[in-house]
Amino acid sequence: MLNHAIEVPVRVRSRAVLTGLCIAATLAGGCRRPAPQASGMHQAKKSELTAAELKYGMAPVPDTSVVYQPAVVIVGGGAEAVRALSPTGLTWTINAHAPHADELAEGRIIFLTNRAVGRVLDLRKDGDNLSVTVGPVLITDVIRQADITVAMPIDFGEAIAYTAPDLPGLVIPAKDSAEARPPGGVEAMPVAFQTQTQPAPAPTPDVSNLVNFKVVPTAGSGGVGLRATSDGGGLKMRVEALVHLAKPNLEAHLRITGDGHLEEANLELTGAAGLTLQFEAGTDVGMRANVNGRLQSPVDFSIPVLGGPVPLALTMRQQLIIKTALGVRNSTLTATGDYTFRGGFKIGYADKKWGVFAPTGFSQRHSLMQTAGGVSIAASGMNISHQMKVVFGVGAFGFATGPYFALNSSAGLFKGSDLGMIPCKEATIVISMSGGIGYLIPRPVADVINFVLGELHVRYRVASEGGLSSDPLTIINSSSTLPGCKADKGA
């Protein structure tokens, strides 16, 4: 349980090998080119913001140290100029008489607040209101020249929750495991789960579209997490993931030259303390209750930064991917994985080279194998993946753009029939991390967004990703099998 939490319903090896000692030192903090220090920049407390700013974000203010791209239209009035945000999060309705609103046109970039940023895909005027449908942009599409450094403590208890209840892609059923794999991550799939417990396709699935799930994100002094529950269609399930953070600090650096060229970017969130993954599932209908798909939280958390030349914010997005193989009626399956580590999450980009740095000192307090439980007369299995994506930049939801990292944590469990002589079990834990600069939307989600744009008769379509991305870094890839089981390869 998180203390003082915000809660809103709704292989151990590194591939971060850098060529050149100075590049590695630059990304790690040494050999860094001088950058302006973060004078007076701090996390905005809720009490410092107006009601409109809490709901829609903070406005940009003129600053001679930042040059915006020619296509950017800084619309005046900030959050007070916003009339509404569509339930999909794609269309902003603003005051048509706001300063410079008349300069907006398809293809240009609106910058009204740190969340109301994007490529203008469609404009519709209705009296005093102007509806602006936006698409994603890169940070260099917005900023032509800037050199920004931020260093400050983070209080997740002050994180601002905002939502788009009909955000496209909140629920994506998957036809196969590849569609439900976390971006930049690895699916934890025990061998026995792959070969022994794949259920036959259900002719009339009850919950395979995940329609009965309730998703609740949390952020507080204990960390950032996501919980999903279901009680319908013959399935009862609770899945919970929590990334533990202790006294977190944010350090970020963004340097863009006068031609809009990205020279250097760093993003680090220190205070990594551990990870907890828990699940319990039961069915009274058997295979018809199996699910396979992606649950995207409709709520994002924002930590805005005050005192800087650009209204930047740290945005946290989360999703769960769930796949079950409950073979017969009255099956249950439970497990808890509780792990500790230390350090921070860091990505860096300089001289066209990447560095990805993950927490260290991984150890387990409770393993999936030790805690695996449940009752079934047939083999059963479950695979869950949690992604916490942290973006430092501008924009909202899937269109948030800037330096980012994604922590992908996957757990897989296979449990044999309780009728066997040996209660076979196999468990896998995979934790990986990736980074990038830009935006990244899972392809199935982008397809849904484009369908919605088509329904709105918007002729533009969005790509699933834009910008630069690193190779994923595998932090942990560990499997264990109960000795004596057929799945045991003799280890």
Side-chain angles (χ1 to χ4, degrees):
M1 181 68 67
L2 296 178
N3 296 324
H4 310 296
I6 298 171
E7 185 168 289
V8 188
V10 261
R11 46 188 219 218
V12 184
R13 63 177 182 265
S14 170
R15 288 194 284 167
V17 179
L18 302 179
T19 57
L21 294 177
C22 190
I23 296 299
T26 297
L27 298 177
C31 231
R32 177 176 293 174
R33 301 174 180 88
Q37 294 304 303
S39 176
M41 297 176 70
H42 64 281
Q43 176 180 347
K45 294 184 177 181
K46 297 174 187 177
S47 59
E48 297 179 83
L49 303 177
T50 66
E53 288 173 330
L54 286 169
K55 193 172 183 180
Y56 300 122
M58 302 183 307
V61 294
D63 192 293
T64 56
S65 67
V66 176
V67 179
Y68 292 101
Q69 294 285 12
V72 174
V73 179
I74 298 180
V75 177
E80 303 296 337
V82 179
R83 298 288 186 259
L85 175 63
S86 70
T88 64
L90 299 176
T91 301
W92 295 82
T93 300
I94 67 172
N95 181 356
H97 305 294
H100 305 292
D102 59 345
E103 299 174 21
L104 292 172
E106 288 186 15
R108 303 202 74 177
I109 295 172
I110 183 174
F111 195 172
L112 177 62
T113 72
N114 63 296
R115 289 184 223 155
V117 180
R119 182 83 58 185
V120 177
L121 305 183
D122 187 68
L123 281 172
R124 301 182 187 186
K125 188 174 181 181
D126 182 12
D128 292 334
N129 293 328
L130 182 65
S131 294
V132 187
T133 300
V134 300
V137 292
L138 303 179
I139 194 73
T140 49
D141 292 334
V142 179
I143 298 175
R144 183 176 178 85
Q145 179 177 348
D147 199 343
I148 302 169
T149 296
V150 178
M152 65 184 193
I154 295 293
D155 179 2
F156 281 102
E158 282 283 336
I160 298 168
Y162 62 94
T163 184
D166 296 335
L167 191 71
L170 290 181
V171 176
I172 298 289
K175 296 178 182 178
D176 54 53
S177 60
E179 291 185 23
R181 190 167 297 163
V186 182
E187 185 178 17
M189 184 70 72
V191 174
F193 184 36
Q194 294 182 47
T195 58
Q196 297 184 27
T197 63
Q198 294 293 344
T204 54
D206 292 327
V207 295
S208 61
N209 288 336
L210 294 88
V211 294
N212 294 307
F213 277 82
K214 177 183 178 182
V215 181
V216 180
T218 57
S221 59
V224 177
L226 191 63
R227 181 171 67 250
T229 57
S230 177
D231 187 1
L235 176 70
K236 286 189 176 182
M237 179 182 291
R238 181 180 65 85
V239 176
E240 190 161 1
L242 176 63
V243 179
H244 301 278
L245 298 166
K247 298 181 180 179
N249 277 270
L250 167 68
E251 293 189 14
H253 180 215
L254 185 64
R255 189 161 72 91
I256 301 172
T257 60
D259 59 354
H261 177 70
L262 180 68
E263 289 285 346
E264 185 178 343
N266 294 290
L267 173 62
E268 181 175 16
L269 182 65
T270 64
L275 171 72
T276 299
L277 295 171
Q278 307 185 280
F279 60 82
E280 52 187 39
T283 175
D284 56 11
V285 298
M287 291 183 184
R288 289 188 296 116
N290 281 319
V291 296
N292 182 15
R294 180 192 309 268
L295 294 167
Q296 175 72 57
S297 170
V299 175
D300 283 3
F301 292 110
S302 174
I303 294 179
V305 178
L306 287 179
V310 179
L312 301 172
L314 196 69
T315 299
M316 281 75 65
R317 307 210 74 211
Q318 297 183 80
Q319 65 176 351
L320 277 171
I321 294 171
I322 302 174
K323 183 176 183 179
T324 66
L326 303 171
V328 295
R329 295 177 60 183
N330 301 319
S331 298
T332 61
L333 189 64
T334 65
T336 297
D338 196 9
Y339 310 94
T340 62
F341 40 69
R342 61 181 180 274
F345 310 98
K346 182 172 183 178
I347 62 102
Y349 177 82
D351 295 331
K352 300 182 179 180
K353 293 188 173 59
W354 280 101
V356 179
F357 305 89
T360 59
F362 180 93
S363 63
Q364 60 184 25
R365 291 187 291 194
H366 303 288
S367 72
L368 295 168
M369 179 67 75
Q370 293 169 338
T371 61
V375 177
S376 178
I377 62 172
S380 58
M382 188 163 177
N383 192 93
I384 64 169
S385 295
H386 171 252
Q387 183 186 78
M388 179 184 74
K389 183 180 178 185
V390 178
V391 187
F392 184 66
V394 296
F397 305 111
F399 296 166
T401 183
Y404 68 85
F405 70 82
L407 179 70
N408 302 299
S409 307
S410 300
L413 177 66
F414 162 81
K415 184 175 179 292
S417 168
D418 288 309
L419 298 180
M421 294 182 63
I422 299 176
C424 289
K425 300 176 186 178
E426 183 177 352
T428 298
I429 179 74
V430 180
I431 303 176
S432 66
M433 183 176 153
S434 59
I437 302 164
Y439 72 92
L440 177 65
I441 308 169
R443 188 175 300 277
V445 177
D447 291 342
V448 177
I449 291 174
N450 286 326
F451 174 80
V452 173
L453 292 175
E455 292 292 294
L456 295 173
H457 304 291
V458 176
R459 61 189 179 95
Y460 293 95
R461 296 295 179 267
V462 303
S464 62
E465 60 183 294
L468 305 168
S469 60
S470 73
D471 289 332
L473 166 67
T474 300
I475 305 169
I476 294 293
N477 188 343
S478 175
S479 296
S480 56
T481 304
L482 195 67
C485 295
K486 291 182 180 181
D488 190 0
K489 303 302 182 182

